[in-house]
Amino acid sequence: MKNVAYLLIALGFLAGAFFAVEQREGVTVPYFLGALALGVVGVVMIRVARREAATRAETIRANLGAIETSLASVVGKVQRLDETKEETDVYDLRHVIDREFPDDLDAFVQARYSLVHTFGLQSFADVMNPFAAGERYLNRVWSASCDGYINEAHDYVVKAREQFESALEIFRGLAQA
């Protein structure tokens, strides 16, 4: 279905481009609109296929597992960062963040829409709010580390930890309900 949809989009684009330049002046509107409609049908088909794929039971189950695993890993790493921040040179905090966090944060982000399909939009927001705050605070630690602001880096490690722990607690509460 996706290949047919991509073909329709490509044909719609090519036909629309052809009808747009076919005449020196003006555009053959009915043909151009037909080509545009062909492309729109392709886009709709892709969106339907993506929605069907995202709402399959096995996809949702795998994504919920990925969410818990990645979020628990982030919490563990930020707790370790908080516990070792005094011994770590402030300029090295950004290297720890670059090395330790991207894979887990990306895994969470890739799977996050299964929260909507499983628990609803409000629950998605309830998890995403502290997660996004934790991510912003972690970015703040990275920036403070680059500038050598040790107090700010340490303060925001604590804030990031609190936010990620809150997100994990909310998610686990939803999963158990």
Side-chain angles (χ1 to χ4, degrees):
M1 184 164 154
K2 274 188 174 180
N3 290 336
V4 172
Y6 285 121
L7 181 64
L8 289 177
I9 292 171
L11 289 175
F13 174 79
L14 291 173
F18 173 76
F19 293 126
V21 297
E22 177 186 28
Q23 300 175 354
R24 284 193 122 168
E25 293 183 23
V27 175
T28 313
V29 174
Y31 294 134
F32 183 79
L33 290 177
L36 180 66
L38 197 62
V40 169
V41 168
V43 169
V44 169
M45 288 175 66
I46 287 174
R47 292 185 64 102
V48 168
R50 283 186 181 167
R51 178 171 288 168
E52 287 176 2
T55 57
R56 285 190 203 123
E58 62 270 8
T59 301
I60 288 176
R61 193 174 20 258
N63 283 345
L64 292 179
I67 287 170
E68 176 152 21
T69 302
S70 60
L71 204 47
S73 179
V74 167
V75 167
K77 289 173 182 175
V78 79
Q79 287 172 339
R80 202 170 28 253
L81 188 65
D82 187 26
E83 292 164 1
T84 61
K85 67 186 177 199
E86 298 295 335
E87 302 93 48
T88 307
D89 183 66
V90 67
Y91 293 103
D92 289 336
L93 287 173
R94 68 176 187 262
H95 300 300
V96 173
I97 291 170
D98 286 342
R99 187 178 54 245
E100 300 284 331
F101 290 91
D103 292 339
D104 292 321
L105 294 174
D106 186 54
F108 179 89
V109 167
Q110 295 301 320
R112 71 184 186 267
Y113 287 115
S114 287
L115 291 170
V116 175
H117 299 300
T118 306
F119 305 114
L121 198 54
Q122 182 59 52
S123 297
F124 173 77
D126 292 343
V127 173
M128 286 305 297
N129 281 340
F131 177 84
E135 195 175 20
R136 279 193 308 275
Y137 293 152
L138 202 58
N139 288 335
R140 190 69 209 126
V141 172
W142 190 92
S143 295
S145 171
C146 289
D147 297 333
Y149 298 141
I150 189 166
N151 292 336
E152 185 175 348
H154 289 181
D155 290 346
Y156 278 91
V157 166
V158 173
K159 290 180 179 185
R161 177 183 180 164
E162 292 168 354
Q163 294 299 316
F164 284 127
E165 287 173 343
S166 174
L168 181 61
E169 182 181 321
I170 292 168
F171 175 76
R172 285 184 172 160
L174 291 170
Q176 290 175 352

